[in-house]
Amino acid sequence: MLARHPLITRYSLRKATFMTETLTDPTRRDLDEVASNPAGVALGWLGAFEAAAAADDIEQVLSLFDEKDCWWRDMLTLTWDLRTMHGLDKIRDLATGRLASVGYSEFKISTKILTSVVDGVLTAAFDFRGHVVQGRGIVRLRHDGDSWKAWTFLTKTDDLVDFPELQTTLADATKPKHTEAQQDRESWYEFRERQREFRDREPDVVVVGAGHAGLNATARLQHMGLSTLLLERTPRIGDVWRQRYHNLALHDTKWYGQMPYLKYPDNWPLFAPKELLGDWFEAYVWILQLNAWTSTEVKRAEYDEDAGRWTVELIREGQAREVHPKYVVFATGAFAGDPQPPTLPGRDQFRGRVVHSSAHEGGEALRGKRVVVVGTGSSAHDVAQDACEMGAEVTMVQRGPTYVVSTKRGVPELFRDLYSESSPENEESDLIGMSFPWPLFLEMSPAVTRTVAELDAELLEGLAKAGFRTSLGTNDSGLFGLSLGRGGGYYINKGCSDLIIEGRIRIQQGEVSTLTEDGVIISDGTELPADVVVFATGWPNMRDTLRPIVGDDVADQLSPVWGLDDEGELRGIFRPSGHPRLWCMAGGFQQSRYGSKLLAVQVKAIEEGLAG
């Protein structure tokens, strides 16, 4: 989740018009003059980079970067992967011998993000073209007393030059279906039924899972001209949300949580409730005309290297079927699968109900029950609040400190500049977010985390008095660091913290060690009566949930999903998985929105013989 950041919020994000003439020697201009024409300086730097890259002169390229501290984050231009290079040596190692083949050219300053010089940092967004790809990026330059050098540099592929996203144009009027008579012409519904059922062909891609990640991936792949089949095991698109616990709603704001191609209405709720979100998913499939099969479970997927296709065995509405795509995308969740509560002594004797939070339905059935919730992350808080609001007696068992931020003060502070009613379009905000390599972002996040904690001081003090332990996250990096590293360990307060402070939800420190007939025993010997025990204790890794479907040979090739690799990129999602024709799609709404395009471009590049 992208938090508000001092180096983001100090730069205005308004649309503007700039002078874009190339400077003869931008590195030698007086700083005052440079400040009056930052776009010209940036374009001059980009021109120097283009010339050095065209000559494949790595040393000249390196001379344009700050030798003390520089970052180049590259998304699918130097390689068909997501890479972050920190320092001149890392840039040299990756970029040597690759620059000329990319063909960086036609750099233009983007007018959608304001170019400026603030606190000695010149920031400019740009568009560019290569031999195979066209893309966008952001460069941040710092003046070292003699010249402007790159501190951070993002190059990101947006499209393939010869295979851009499909778009309806007036030229379509010349197509035969619009100009010629057709005997026994199909109706639109007949055409869509044939297409959706794949009666005439095998799909190019099968996407497994119709949550937001699967929907985003399917929409992107279809826009890239790839025939795509989306599979969902529940009876209706959106049931993955509808069937969850009573009061579930997004913790992401409506702007942060938008999906590609189709914006939420202006009056969409700030935090969409599960039922409304489920209905939106269903509408999304219909409006974008995605090919989706519901009540369909994937039993096995086996890849035939000689044929270059998968055999995917399905059970669709009780009937066995096979499909044979070239690519399979699993969008079953980085933190999903079929988690089970831990096996504890005494479970066979417990006369109540034990469930994982993923299977907890909640609601009216909890009235008058004694509910013990094990865990204090987002799901645990939601379950506890639901139970309390429905008249249950609730105790939360806390095993470790949790990062808590308020909706009232924290959310506006974190999201105002990039994801709010006054922020830029998502494409611009996402680009700004991507332009900070994650390690750098986390390194600079504590200042924001502490500022938010000061705003939330009353809330945090109240929780402490109630016996609830809080933290500022890993190395004080707050919500974002926990999201990237663990995918949990935080809570955006939507009322549960207040119930804890008021004493309506009790807090018990420790771990559940044993179940009795009528409750649980905590590690310190405390006994808690319980009719329902809900374990909100995490999920298996996505790679492990795929093993029963793809088999050990394929699963052993796959990267773990989530967490940062040695360069600071997320592992295993919307990038090569370890198997050349298997992809994993996961993450929150914002990550899935931009990551789905990266995934679709890579699949299309392989399909067209542009990538291995």
Short mmCIF file of all heavy atoms in Angstrom, two decimals, residues 236-262:
data_model
loop_
_atom_site.label_atom_id
_atom_site.label_comp_id
_atom_site.label_asym_id
_atom_site.label_seq_id
_atom_site.Cartn_x
_atom_site.Cartn_y
_atom_site.Cartn_z
N ARG A 236 -21.01 -17.41 -8.67
CA ARG A 236 -21.13 -16.12 -9.35
C ARG A 236 -19.83 -15.35 -9.23
O ARG A 236 -19.11 -15.47 -8.23
CB ARG A 236 -22.24 -15.26 -8.69
CG ARG A 236 -23.65 -15.73 -8.93
CD ARG A 236 -24.62 -14.87 -8.12
NE ARG A 236 -24.55 -13.45 -8.48
CZ ARG A 236 -25.14 -12.48 -7.75
NH1 ARG A 236 -25.79 -12.78 -6.63
NH2 ARG A 236 -25.05 -11.23 -8.14
N ILE A 237 -19.53 -14.58 -10.27
CA ILE A 237 -18.41 -13.65 -10.16
C ILE A 237 -18.72 -12.70 -9.00
O ILE A 237 -19.80 -12.14 -8.90
CB ILE A 237 -18.23 -12.84 -11.46
CG1 ILE A 237 -17.91 -13.77 -12.63
CG2 ILE A 237 -17.13 -11.80 -11.28
CD1 ILE A 237 -16.60 -14.51 -12.53
N GLY A 238 -17.76 -12.52 -8.12
CA GLY A 238 -17.95 -11.65 -6.96
C GLY A 238 -18.28 -12.38 -5.68
O GLY A 238 -18.23 -11.80 -4.60
N ASP A 239 -18.60 -13.68 -5.78
CA ASP A 239 -18.92 -14.45 -4.57
C ASP A 239 -17.73 -14.57 -3.64
O ASP A 239 -17.88 -14.79 -2.44
CB ASP A 239 -19.43 -15.84 -4.93
CG ASP A 239 -20.90 -15.86 -5.27
OD1 ASP A 239 -21.57 -14.82 -5.07
OD2 ASP A 239 -21.40 -16.90 -5.74
N VAL A 240 -16.52 -14.43 -4.18
CA VAL A 240 -15.33 -14.48 -3.34
C VAL A 240 -15.39 -13.39 -2.27
O VAL A 240 -14.81 -13.53 -1.20
CB VAL A 240 -14.06 -14.35 -4.21
CG1 VAL A 240 -13.96 -12.97 -4.84
CG2 VAL A 240 -12.81 -14.66 -3.41
N TRP A 241 -16.13 -12.31 -2.55
CA TRP A 241 -16.37 -11.27 -1.55
C TRP A 241 -17.71 -11.45 -0.86
O TRP A 241 -17.80 -11.32 0.36
CB TRP A 241 -16.33 -9.88 -2.21
CG TRP A 241 -14.93 -9.41 -2.42
CD1 TRP A 241 -14.12 -9.69 -3.49
CD2 TRP A 241 -14.16 -8.61 -1.55
NE1 TRP A 241 -12.90 -9.10 -3.32
CE2 TRP A 241 -12.89 -8.42 -2.14
CE3 TRP A 241 -14.42 -8.01 -0.31
CZ2 TRP A 241 -11.88 -7.67 -1.54
CZ3 TRP A 241 -13.41 -7.26 0.28
CH2 TRP A 241 -12.16 -7.09 -0.32
N ARG A 242 -18.75 -11.76 -1.59
CA ARG A 242 -20.08 -11.84 -0.99
C ARG A 242 -20.14 -12.87 0.13
O ARG A 242 -20.88 -12.72 1.10
CB ARG A 242 -21.13 -12.21 -2.04
CG ARG A 242 -21.36 -11.17 -3.12
CD ARG A 242 -22.53 -11.57 -4.00
NE ARG A 242 -22.57 -10.77 -5.21
CZ ARG A 242 -22.04 -11.15 -6.37
NH1 ARG A 242 -21.43 -12.34 -6.48
NH2 ARG A 242 -22.11 -10.37 -7.42
N GLN A 243 -19.38 -13.94 0.01
CA GLN A 243 -19.47 -15.06 0.95
C GLN A 243 -18.61 -14.89 2.20
O GLN A 243 -18.55 -15.79 3.03
CB GLN A 243 -19.11 -16.36 0.23
CG GLN A 243 -20.09 -16.75 -0.86
CD GLN A 243 -19.68 -18.00 -1.62
OE1 GLN A 243 -18.64 -18.62 -1.34
NE2 GLN A 243 -20.49 -18.40 -2.59
N ARG A 244 -17.94 -13.74 2.32
CA ARG A 244 -17.08 -13.52 3.49
C ARG A 244 -17.90 -12.98 4.66
O ARG A 244 -19.11 -12.81 4.59
CB ARG A 244 -15.96 -12.54 3.12
CG ARG A 244 -15.01 -13.06 2.03
CD ARG A 244 -14.14 -14.20 2.50
NE ARG A 244 -13.31 -13.85 3.63
CZ ARG A 244 -12.17 -13.16 3.59
NH1 ARG A 244 -11.73 -12.71 2.42
NH2 ARG A 244 -11.49 -12.90 4.68
N TYR A 245 -17.21 -12.68 5.77
CA TYR A 245 -17.90 -12.33 7.01
C TYR A 245 -18.70 -11.04 6.89
O TYR A 245 -18.47 -10.20 6.03
CB TYR A 245 -16.91 -12.27 8.18
CG TYR A 245 -15.65 -11.48 7.94
CD1 TYR A 245 -15.62 -10.11 8.12
CD2 TYR A 245 -14.47 -12.12 7.55
CE1 TYR A 245 -14.46 -9.38 7.92
CE2 TYR A 245 -13.30 -11.41 7.35
CZ TYR A 245 -13.30 -10.03 7.54
OH TYR A 245 -12.15 -9.33 7.34
N HIS A 246 -19.61 -10.89 7.80
CA HIS A 246 -20.72 -9.96 7.74
C HIS A 246 -20.34 -8.53 7.38
O HIS A 246 -20.95 -7.92 6.49
CB HIS A 246 -21.45 -9.97 9.09
CG HIS A 246 -22.60 -9.02 9.20
ND1 HIS A 246 -23.76 -9.16 8.48
CD2 HIS A 246 -22.75 -7.89 9.95
CE1 HIS A 246 -24.59 -8.18 8.78
NE2 HIS A 246 -24.00 -7.40 9.67
N ASN A 247 -19.34 -7.95 8.05
CA ASN A 247 -19.10 -6.52 7.89
C ASN A 247 -17.88 -6.20 7.04
O ASN A 247 -17.35 -5.10 7.10
CB ASN A 247 -18.94 -5.85 9.28
CG ASN A 247 -17.64 -6.28 9.96
OD1 ASN A 247 -17.07 -7.33 9.62
ND2 ASN A 247 -17.18 -5.51 10.93
N LEU A 248 -17.44 -7.14 6.24
CA LEU A 248 -16.23 -6.95 5.46
C LEU A 248 -16.39 -5.80 4.46
O LEU A 248 -17.40 -5.68 3.78
CB LEU A 248 -15.88 -8.23 4.70
CG LEU A 248 -14.64 -8.17 3.80
CD1 LEU A 248 -13.39 -7.88 4.61
CD2 LEU A 248 -14.50 -9.47 3.02
N ALA A 249 -15.38 -4.95 4.40
CA ALA A 249 -15.30 -3.87 3.42
C ALA A 249 -13.83 -3.64 3.10
O ALA A 249 -12.94 -4.05 3.85
CB ALA A 249 -15.93 -2.59 3.97
N LEU A 250 -13.58 -3.00 1.98
CA LEU A 250 -12.21 -2.69 1.61
C LEU A 250 -11.56 -1.78 2.66
O LEU A 250 -12.22 -0.91 3.24
CB LEU A 250 -12.16 -1.98 0.26
CG LEU A 250 -12.15 -2.81 -1.01
CD1 LEU A 250 -11.98 -1.90 -2.22
CD2 LEU A 250 -11.06 -3.85 -0.98
N HIS A 251 -10.29 -1.97 2.88
CA HIS A 251 -9.50 -1.03 3.68
C HIS A 251 -8.80 -0.02 2.78
O HIS A 251 -8.19 0.92 3.27
CB HIS A 251 -8.48 -1.79 4.54
CG HIS A 251 -9.10 -2.56 5.65
ND1 HIS A 251 -9.11 -2.12 6.96
CD2 HIS A 251 -9.77 -3.74 5.67
CE1 HIS A 251 -9.74 -2.99 7.73
NE2 HIS A 251 -10.14 -3.98 6.96
N ASP A 252 -8.84 -0.25 1.46
CA ASP A 252 -8.29 0.69 0.50
C ASP A 252 -9.36 1.71 0.12
O ASP A 252 -10.54 1.37 0.01
CB ASP A 252 -7.84 -0.04 -0.78
CG ASP A 252 -6.68 -0.98 -0.53
OD1 ASP A 252 -5.92 -0.73 0.41
OD2 ASP A 252 -6.55 -1.96 -1.28
N THR A 253 -8.95 2.96 -0.10
CA THR A 253 -9.91 3.98 -0.51
C THR A 253 -10.39 3.71 -1.93
O THR A 253 -9.77 2.96 -2.68
CB THR A 253 -9.27 5.37 -0.46
OG1 THR A 253 -8.23 5.44 -1.44
CG2 THR A 253 -8.70 5.66 0.92
N LYS A 254 -11.47 4.35 -2.33
CA LYS A 254 -12.06 4.11 -3.65
C LYS A 254 -11.09 4.46 -4.76
O LYS A 254 -11.09 3.81 -5.81
CB LYS A 254 -13.36 4.89 -3.82
CG LYS A 254 -13.24 6.40 -3.74
CD LYS A 254 -14.44 7.13 -4.37
CE LYS A 254 -14.41 7.05 -5.87
NZ LYS A 254 -15.39 7.94 -6.51
N TRP A 255 -10.23 5.46 -4.57
CA TRP A 255 -9.30 5.85 -5.63
C TRP A 255 -8.13 4.86 -5.69
O TRP A 255 -7.68 4.50 -6.76
CB TRP A 255 -8.79 7.27 -5.38
CG TRP A 255 -9.93 8.23 -5.26
CD1 TRP A 255 -10.61 8.85 -6.29
CD2 TRP A 255 -10.56 8.66 -4.06
NE1 TRP A 255 -11.61 9.63 -5.79
CE2 TRP A 255 -11.61 9.55 -4.41
CE3 TRP A 255 -10.34 8.40 -2.70
CZ2 TRP A 255 -12.41 10.15 -3.47
CZ3 TRP A 255 -11.15 9.00 -1.75
CH2 TRP A 255 -12.18 9.87 -2.15
N TYR A 256 -7.66 4.46 -4.55
CA TYR A 256 -6.56 3.49 -4.49
C TYR A 256 -7.01 2.15 -5.05
O TYR A 256 -6.24 1.42 -5.66
CB TYR A 256 -6.11 3.32 -3.04
CG TYR A 256 -4.79 2.64 -2.85
CD1 TYR A 256 -3.60 3.35 -2.97
CD2 TYR A 256 -4.72 1.29 -2.51
CE1 TYR A 256 -2.38 2.72 -2.77
CE2 TYR A 256 -3.51 0.66 -2.32
CZ TYR A 256 -2.33 1.39 -2.44
OH TYR A 256 -1.13 0.77 -2.25
N GLY A 257 -8.29 1.82 -4.84
CA GLY A 257 -8.79 0.50 -5.18
C GLY A 257 -9.48 0.39 -6.53
O GLY A 257 -10.19 -0.58 -6.77
N GLN A 258 -9.30 1.37 -7.41
CA GLN A 258 -9.94 1.28 -8.73
C GLN A 258 -9.27 0.23 -9.60
O GLN A 258 -8.11 -0.12 -9.42
CB GLN A 258 -9.90 2.64 -9.42
CG GLN A 258 -10.85 3.65 -8.81
CD GLN A 258 -11.02 4.89 -9.65
OE1 GLN A 258 -12.09 5.16 -10.16
NE2 GLN A 258 -9.96 5.65 -9.79
N MET A 259 -10.04 -0.27 -10.57
CA MET A 259 -9.56 -1.28 -11.50
C MET A 259 -9.37 -0.65 -12.88
O MET A 259 -9.97 0.38 -13.19
CB MET A 259 -10.56 -2.44 -11.54
CG MET A 259 -10.66 -3.16 -10.19
SD MET A 259 -12.14 -4.15 -9.98
CE MET A 259 -11.85 -5.46 -11.16
N PRO A 260 -8.52 -1.22 -13.73
CA PRO A 260 -8.24 -0.60 -15.02
C PRO A 260 -9.46 -0.57 -15.93
O PRO A 260 -10.33 -1.43 -15.86
CB PRO A 260 -7.14 -1.50 -15.61
CG PRO A 260 -7.24 -2.80 -14.89
CD PRO A 260 -7.73 -2.46 -13.52
N TYR A 261 -9.51 0.44 -16.77
CA TYR A 261 -10.50 0.64 -17.83
C TYR A 261 -11.87 1.10 -17.35
O TYR A 261 -12.67 1.57 -18.15
CB TYR A 261 -10.69 -0.64 -18.66
CG TYR A 261 -9.42 -1.27 -19.16
CD1 TYR A 261 -9.03 -2.53 -18.74
CD2 TYR A 261 -8.58 -0.58 -20.04
CE1 TYR A 261 -7.86 -3.11 -19.19
CE2 TYR A 261 -7.40 -1.15 -20.49
CZ TYR A 261 -7.04 -2.42 -20.06
OH TYR A 261 -5.87 -2.98 -20.49
N LEU A 262 -12.17 0.96 -16.06
CA LEU A 262 -13.53 1.25 -15.60
C LEU A 262 -13.46 1.88 -14.22
O LEU A 262 -13.19 1.20 -13.22
CB LEU A 262 -14.35 -0.05 -15.57
CG LEU A 262 -15.87 0.08 -15.50
CD1 LEU A 262 -16.40 0.83 -16.71
CD2 LEU A 262 -16.50 -1.31 -15.41
#
